[in-house]
Amino acid sequence: MRRLRRLAHLVLFCPFSKGLQGRLPGLRARYVFLVWLGVFAGSWLAYVHYASYTELCRGHACQVVICDQYRKGTISGSMCQDLCDLHTVEWRACLSSLPGQQVYSGLWQGKEVTIKCGIEGSLHSKASVDAAPRREPVLFHKPTRGTSIKEFREMTLSFLKANLGDLPSLPALVGQVLLMADFNKDSRVSLAEAKSVWALLQRHEFLLLLSLQEKEHASRLLGYCGDLYVTEGAPRSSWHGAALPPLLRPLLPPALHRALQQWLGPAWPWRAKIAIGLLEFVEDLFHGSYGTFYMCETTLANVGYTATYDFKMADLQQVAPEAAVRRFLQGRHCEHSTDCTYGRDCRAPCDKLMRQCKGDLIQPNLAKVCELLRDYLLPGAPADLREELGRQLRTCTTLSGLASQVEAHHSLVLSHLKSLLWKEISNTKYS
């Protein structure tokens, strides 16, 4: 004990000479106070980080839920055996940002993958995993035993119409759903297969992944078990604030964020290539095979890219079908346009006379993306390009969300912007 006290005394007080301590008796107290203040602050940060981690990262509980239902025969899927029997799915880093949406990096069949699984609100972090199977009656309750394949097809078509709109292409999408459900290729869809694919369709991001599977800028679906599914490995993030703990991210000042982007981000030509991919993704969302989609949280956190700097949408949670946005706005009471906001930034004007939200959004996808690209592309842009690039981005941000104006100007502005960027990096190693 005496040795420990002596060691503590040396650590705390040796930086000061005895002469200095004698001349400045108050300095010792201040030094001790600052040291213990630092210890307290560090302990608090460690506690906050641990509490945040245990709340956000519950992959084990998710796996217990899924494997319990698989062993009961309630669900099935292309990766159930590897996940629950062979244990060849490796869970790695936790990437979750919301407790109800578990996201992990992982390894499956020799590939880097992203594992995604929903945890219902009834499964709290303090609850034991033994309580997890209570999800089954809620999540895997449809279709019921005795449902014919024709009834399941009609049930799926009705669901897609309600979420994507009444589109002539939906029967083909229903065919894809049934093909995916029959993962073992025995030309029949069992009740467990139908329950699994129906539960997957209730996951917003999965529905969008299914709708955008033909698009190169959305992650590819690799496998599933129940409502747990696996996509290609998570793309690299263009937002360097993602490395911070979730509770500290809002404290990052915009000026510091821009500086980090310029210092730590890819070289400008690579950023231009990523931006071209983002503009192509905007094209994909506008009048695609399964309708129009809106980006309702346009931030750098959603701008991802591969090892070859090809754009990949990092998160589809905030992309919404036009039908869902219009249904939200229809007849909605409002006093200001802020009352007509779907997600973070899908905002429609408020009719002050009728006190109801209008149907057209104030800004289309392209205008919001161009606002994002002004901070992403202009810093570090070549001097001979900066003025023209700035002018085109300013023009782009003034686009209106009115359907008539979008149809007239959207494609033209987007085409000019892509051509300008591509001309700068074509015939170089960056192309």
Side-chain angles (χ1 to χ4, degrees), residues 58-125:
R58 293 177 286 163
H60 172 68
C62 201
Q63 185 173 357
V64 167
V65 171
I66 291 297
C67 291
D68 179 79
Q69 299 306 317
Y70 166 65
R71 293 185 182 108
K72 286 181 178 179
T74 305
I75 61 173
S76 63
S78 55
M79 62 179 296
C80 286
Q81 188 175 22
D82 287 348
L83 179 70
C84 302
D85 295 337
L86 303 178
H87 304 289
T88 55
V89 179
E90 183 180 338
W91 299 64
R92 291 184 170 177
C94 173
L95 308 174
S96 309
S97 58
L98 293 172
Q101 297 165 359
Q102 295 296 294
V103 183
Y104 279 76
S105 63
L107 190 69
W108 181 47
Q109 296 182 344
K111 297 177 183 175
E112 296 283 344
V113 297
T114 302
I115 306 167
K116 300 190 177 185
C117 176
I119 291 186
E120 301 299 316
S122 60
L123 184 59
H124 298 292
S125 57

Side-chain angles (χ1 to χ4, degrees), residues 204 208 281 285 293-296 313 315-321:
H204 176 76
L208 293 173
F281 181 70
L285 297 183
F293 296 84
Y294 294 130
M295 298 171 68
C296 293
M313 191 66 179
D315 185 9
L316 290 173
Q317 289 288 349
Q318 298 300 327
V319 176

Side-chain angles (χ1 to χ4, degrees), residues 35-55:
V35 168
W36 284 110
L37 184 63
V39 170
F40 174 78
S43 302
W44 182 81
L45 286 174
Y47 170 75
V48 167
H49 181 73
Y50 174 77
S52 172
Y53 182 87
T54 54
E55 177 67 19

